Amino acid sequence: QVQLVESGGGLVQPGGSLTLSCAASGATFSIYVMGWYRQAPGNQRELASTISSRGTTNYADSVKGRFTISRDNANNMVYLQMNSLKPEDTAIYYCYLQTNQNGILYNYWGQGTQVTVSS
């Protein structure tokens, strides 16, 4: 019912910036939360940032002050502006979406986009 299309990943030098984009289609009327998870090599998938339908944002401590999440409801888009990137930010970043359909919550993840921070 919901499809996620991610873009913006790539190779960037330490201290650089990168913007990730995710477009949602399908049952977008029921979107409750959108955000980003990431999975670094050898680690489990972890929450990076989320933004609710009301605009409430949250960030992992490791990215606070460097990453900014935003949402474009008109175009069903969510973005992650990443500044001052560190090698530790290297990971596969997954777009996350939670829908609320008649009071029932459903979770979705995109296929992921690779972000590599290296000199």
Side-chain angles (χ1 to χ4, degrees):
Q1 288 89 343
V2 175
Q3 296 80 44
L4 302 175
V5 180
E6 302 160 316
S7 62
L11 175 65
V12 64
Q13 293 184 338
S17 298
L18 207 62
T19 299
L20 304 182
S21 301
C22 177
S25 61
T28 57
F29 68 92
S30 63
I31 294 176
Y32 178 51
V33 173
M34 298 187 74
W36 297 91
Y37 282 73
R38 67 183 185 179
Q39 186 171 13
N43 291 57
Q44 299 297 313
R45 188 182 302 182
E46 64 178 3
L47 174 67
S49 182
T50 62
I51 182 168
S52 74
S53 60
R54 297 184 178 182
T56 301
T57 61
N58 63 74
Y59 300 90
D61 289 340
S62 58
V63 307
K64 283 184 178 178
R66 299 187 299 117
F67 291 10
T68 302
I69 190 170
S70 60
R71 184 172 180 173
D72 182 355
N73 291 334
N75 294 292
N76 303 311
M77 299 282 294
V78 64
Y79 305 91
L80 188 66
Q81 175 67 47
M82 304 183 294
N83 298 323
S84 302
L85 284 163
K86 305 175 181 179
E88 306 92 90
D89 296 317
T90 296
I92 301 175
Y93 285 72
Y94 297 89
C95 184
Y96 167 75
L97 183 149
Q98 184 179 72
T99 64
N100 185 337
Q101 304 181 28
N102 299 317
I104 302 175
L105 301 180
Y106 298 86
N107 296 318
Y108 301 88
W109 284 268
Q111 293 183 326
T113 183
Q114 177 70 48
V115 172
T116 302
V117 184
S118 176
S119 60

